[in-house]
Amino acid sequence: MILDLLFPNRCIHCNRIIDGHLIVCDICFEQIHFTHFDYSSENSLKEKCKLLFPIENAYALMQFEQENLSRKIIHQLKYRSREKTGKILADWVTENLDFKNKKPDLLVSVPLHPKKEKERGYNQLHLFTKTLSDFYGIPFEHHLLNRNHYSKAQALKDKKHRLETQNTFSLTKKISNQHILLIDDVFTTGNTLATIAWEVLKEGNNKVSILVMAVDE
């Protein structure tokens, strides 16, 4: 209680004091560019994925535009030790995403390299994925994939190096006849998710869908 008085929680955008379970105030929330995608229908993210790998469905919560608030939110989640932001983002997803009759069998988060996860202290997708799993009643797997190489953040790479993802990921066990929902924070070139998708699809009769916190249009 004393700490709350001395160090109150503040909106990450305008610095207004807000409740401890929030990350932005009501006014700034209205500035977030949500996609309002329909998971079961065609959308721009699905069209991007189709150019890279066979996909069933795709959903992005927000637009990841230059200098917009979604960029700041995800930056806080990944680089400012605000792991709880993952739960807040997942709660926003559950308010907007209806799987209808296309519910996946398993939620799989994109892994960090163990060295990077140790440096950061957490994987920014784990709490997000678990929250979705609890809400929708879909099992999750954080360790279906290995990230085989340590590298700097995608955001810090130039385009050429972002495309160099061969042999970056491998499956830790065989899977078959599963509809996998791959979960990541931001879709930029799509190369990371494409690399993972092909690892999943080359196994027996699997299907892949995508869910990301934000898509860079």
Side-chain angles (χ1 to χ4, degrees):
M1 178 67 74
I2 294 175
L3 286 177
D4 290 340
L5 292 173
L6 294 175
F7 305 103
N9 188 40
R10 294 181 179 273
C11 173
I12 64 171
H13 191 52
C14 71
N15 210 37
R16 183 180 285 108
I17 294 175
I18 54 176
D19 288 345
H21 65 283
L22 300 175
I23 54 174
V24 294
C25 66
D26 291 342
I27 294 172
C28 291
F29 180 82
E30 297 299 322
Q31 299 179 38
I32 299 172
H33 296 166
F34 292 104
T35 67
H36 304 293
F37 285 168
D38 183 343
Y39 171 83
S40 301
S41 302
E42 298 298 310
N43 58 61
S44 60
L45 174 59
K46 186 174 180 180
E47 291 301 314
K48 290 174 183 286
C49 291
K50 280 182 179 179
L51 300 174
L52 302 170
F53 57 90
I55 186 167
E56 300 298 312
N57 304 285
Y59 179 84
L61 176 65
M62 303 177 290
Q63 301 284 356
F64 197 67
E65 300 158 346
Q66 188 70 29
E67 302 302 324
N68 77 357
L69 185 49
S70 65
R71 188 177 292 264
K72 185 177 289 189
I73 290 169
I74 292 176
H75 191 273
Q76 291 280 322
L77 169 64
K78 294 177 70 171
Y79 307 118
R80 291 289 182 264
S81 300
R82 294 190 64 147
E83 186 179 9
K84 71 172 185 177
T85 299
K87 182 181 185 312
I88 294 169
L89 290 170
D91 289 340
W92 292 351
V93 170
T94 62
E95 294 168 5
N96 292 278
L97 172 57
D98 182 357
F99 287 115
K100 299 176 182 175
N101 62 343
K102 298 184 178 182
K103 193 172 179 180
D105 300 312
L106 183 67
L107 309 182
V108 175
S109 54
V110 172
L112 294 174
H113 188 274
K115 181 180 177 182
K116 183 168 289 185
E117 186 166 343
K118 185 176 180 180
E119 289 171 354
R120 188 171 294 172
Y122 59 94
N123 181 315
Q124 71 274 9
L125 299 173
H126 284 184
L127 183 56
F128 178 79
T129 302
K130 183 182 184 307
T131 304
L132 296 177
S133 172
D134 292 343
F135 181 86
Y136 291 109
I138 304 171
F140 69 90
E141 175 62 75
H142 290 327
H143 305 293
L144 180 65
L145 296 156
N146 275 333
R147 186 184 286 263
N148 300 320
H149 307 295
Y150 177 83
S151 62
K152 61 185 178 181
Q154 287 277 63
L156 301 178
K157 299 178 184 178
D158 60 32
K159 187 173 183 180
K160 177 183 175 183
H161 288 95
R162 286 202 300 269
L163 295 174
E164 295 173 353
T165 55
Q166 264 193 327
N167 304 317
T168 301
F169 300 96
S170 58
L171 292 172
T172 60
K173 61 184 178 183
K174 290 186 177 296
I175 53 169
S176 59
N177 300 305
Q178 294 285 294
H179 180 185
I180 306 296
L181 182 64
L182 297 177
I183 296 176
D184 203 0
D185 43 35
V186 180
F187 186 101
T188 50
T189 65
N191 226 57
T192 296
L193 285 169
T195 303
I196 294 171
W198 283 114
E199 286 295 316
V200 172
L201 291 168
K202 72 183 183 184
E203 296 291 327
N205 200 33
N206 294 311
K207 296 187 284 190
V208 166
S209 291
I210 297 297
L211 187 156
V212 294
M213 297 173 180
V215 58
D216 190 345
E217 297 282 12

